[in-house]
């Protein structure tokens, strides 16, 4: 029994402390089998104990492997979370600094926003488009001698929510944006682009001579008629710069490029969802302000076809 007791104690020490547990257990089993064949003194209980310890070894090893994999996964997820948090905090800090600073842009510019009110956009995402408009407006000085804003909504038709000369203060524009209700239906982008060209940018609706015209289009998918959309965008670009924003995985980048002013790297944007619109806010505000403060080119951009 002294030999058996010694073997059991040795096995327990190996299970708890050795880096080569498996090899040692196999060697012990072989030793006991040899001892059993030579003397016949190893009983069934000892074999069962050895079997149990061997099973415990393999279960412990498997558990350690699973824990290691889990730790590696958590480490990757943690790194990703920290990176995303840093980006979010960075953007938030920039916005806080800009809000506490004087208005970022003092130039004159007439902007018409074209928002997607089609049935494929859910209510919370429609609200994010409105918030995006308000955030951009806050980057500019607003008034008859500064920024003017109009809003068109794309649905089965094109709805002029308000014109460039409807509201002359920031507070009035923000309140008007908050009152916009989603119309739903189809995505008649071509009609919205045509309306911007033939109605929104007219003197009767507040368009000013020798002031840059800018259109900012948001869409979560493809229009009802891509050919008509491309044709109307081409005519609209004769009188305005067009920034095209595609949201989500269903956007058609070919159509976005057809709408946007060249170069696409400056005037075309894609974001993964409506929450991510805030990620391009500063870039778009900068591009828009550059247009607003650029020296006149002498070209009459109000020639309509």
């Amino acid at each position: 029994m002294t030999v058996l007791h010694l073997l059991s104690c040795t096995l327990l020490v190996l299970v708890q402390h050795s880096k080569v547990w498996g090899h040692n257990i196999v060697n012990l089993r072989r030793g006991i089998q040899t001892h059993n064949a030579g003397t016949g003194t190893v009983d069934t209980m000892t074999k069962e104990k050895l079997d149990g310890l061997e099973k415990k070894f393999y279960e412990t090893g498997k558990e350690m492997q699973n824990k290691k994999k889990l730790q590696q996964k958590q480490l990757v997820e943690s790194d990703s979370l920290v990176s995303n948090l840093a980006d979010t905090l960075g953007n938030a800090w920039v916005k806080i600094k800009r809000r506490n600073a004087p208005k970022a842009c003092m130039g004159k510019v007439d902007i018409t926003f074209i928002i997607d009110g089609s049935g494929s956009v859910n209510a919370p995402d429609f609200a994010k488009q409105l918030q995006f408009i308000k955030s951009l407006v806050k980057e500019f000085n607003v008034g008859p001698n500064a920024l003017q804003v109009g809003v068109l909504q794309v649905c089965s038709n094109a709805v002029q929510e308000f014109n460039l000369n409807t509201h002359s203060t920031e507070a009035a524009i923000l309140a008007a944006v908050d009152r916009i209700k989603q119309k739903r239906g189809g995505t008649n982008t071509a009609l919205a682009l045509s309306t911007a060209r033939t109605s929104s940018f007219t003197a009767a609706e507040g368009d000013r001579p020798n002031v840059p015209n800018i259109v900012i289009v948001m869409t979560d998918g493809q229009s009802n008629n891509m050919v008509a959309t491309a044709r109307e965008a081409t005519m609209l670009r004769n009188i305005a710069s067009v920034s095209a924003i595609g949201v989500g995985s269903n956007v058609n980048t070919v159509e976005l490029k057809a709408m946007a002013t060249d170069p696409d790297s400056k005037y075309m944007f894609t974001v993964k969802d409506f929450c991510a619109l805030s990620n391009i806010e500063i870039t778009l505000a900068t591009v828009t302000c550059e247009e607003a403060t650029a020296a006149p080119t002498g070209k009459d951009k109000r020639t309509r076809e």
Side-chain angles (χ1 to χ4, degrees):
M1 293 299 293
T2 303
V3 174
L4 295 178
H5 180 71
L6 178 60
L7 286 171
S8 297
C9 291
T10 303
L11 183 57
L12 285 173
V13 171
L14 288 170
V15 168
Q16 294 175 2
H17 300 290
S18 177
K19 294 182 180 179
V20 287
W21 292 351
H23 292 295
N24 287 328
I25 289 175
V26 170
N27 291 335
L28 282 169
R29 180 179 288 282
R30 288 174 179 170
I32 289 175
Q33 287 173 345
T34 301
H35 181 70
N36 185 43
T39 66
T41 58
V42 178
D43 57 22
T44 303
M45 184 179 296
T46 302
K47 289 181 179 180
E48 290 177 350
K49 184 179 292 187
L50 180 60
D51 289 341
L53 290 171
E54 185 176 14
K55 181 180 179 182
K56 182 178 180 181
F57 157 69
Y58 285 114
E59 289 177 348
T60 302
K62 186 175 181 180
E63 182 179 353
M64 290 176 66
Q65 287 180 339
N66 290 338
K67 285 183 177 180
K68 185 175 181 180
K69 289 179 180 179
L70 179 61
Q71 289 172 345
Q72 289 174 337
K73 180 181 178 183
Q74 289 174 336
L75 182 61
V76 171
E77 291 176 347
S78 177
D79 288 344
S80 177
L81 179 62
V82 170
S83 177
N84 291 337
L85 181 59
D87 289 342
T88 301
L89 291 175
N91 287 334
W93 175 242
V94 170
K95 290 176 185 178
I96 290 171
K97 289 177 67 177
R98 291 172 76 97
R99 287 194 186 106
N100 293 334
K103 290 296 181 182
C105 189
M106 304 296 289
K108 281 187 177 183
V109 61
D110 292 335
I111 302 179
T112 292
F113 289 93
I114 299 180
I115 58 176
D116 192 340
S118 64
S120 60
V121 179
N122 62 42
D125 285 341
F126 184 78
K128 291 181 179 71
Q129 290 181 89
L130 303 184
Q131 181 58 50
F132 182 65
I133 293 174
K134 294 195 295 181
S135 295
L136 281 175
V137 168
K138 291 175 182 178
E139 297 290 337
F140 292 79
N141 189 37
V142 177
N145 294 311
L147 170 70
Q148 292 190 149
V149 172
V151 177
L152 274 165
Q153 181 175 170
V154 176
C155 48
S156 297
N157 298 302
V159 179
Q160 185 80 57
E161 297 293 348
F162 56 87
N163 294 307
L164 294 169
N165 59 0
T166 305
H167 305 291
S168 59
T169 66
E170 178 183 301
I173 291 173
L174 300 184
V177 170
D178 282 334
R179 291 193 295 270
I180 296 174
K181 303 299 181 184
Q182 186 175 3
K183 302 300 188 291
R184 299 194 174 277
T187 312
N188 198 340
T189 308
L191 181 57
L193 297 174
S194 174
T195 302
R197 176 174 59 86
T198 61
S199 178
S200 301
F201 292 119
T202 61
E205 308 299 351
D207 188 41
R208 297 167 292 183
N210 302 316
V211 173
N213 293 336
I214 294 176
V215 175
I216 298 174
V217 187
M218 288 178 272
T219 180
D220 78 333
Q222 184 173 300
S223 69
N224 294 347
N225 189 328
M226 287 183 61
V227 174
T229 297
R231 182 178 64 247
E232 290 296 339
T234 298
M235 290 189 285
L236 177 59
R237 288 196 302 272
N238 288 326
I239 65 166
S241 295
V242 180
S243 290
I245 304 171
V247 183
S249 59
N250 295 322
V251 297
N252 187 313
T253 55
V254 173
E255 186 171 63
L256 287 180
K257 291 178 180 179
M259 286 192 287
T261 296
D262 289 331
D264 295 333
S265 58
K266 183 176 181 180
Y267 293 97
M268 190 187 86
F269 301 85
T270 56
V271 293
K272 64 179 181 179
D273 53 38
F274 284 93
C275 290
L277 283 172
S278 60
N279 295 340
I280 63 170
E281 176 188 316
I282 295 172
T283 301
L284 185 57
T286 301
V287 170
T288 303
C289 189
E290 287 174 356
E291 297 248 351
T293 56
T297 61
K299 178 182 178 181
D300 183 6
K301 297 183 70 175
R302 284 150 184 78
T303 300
R304 290 169 173 77
E305 297 182 11

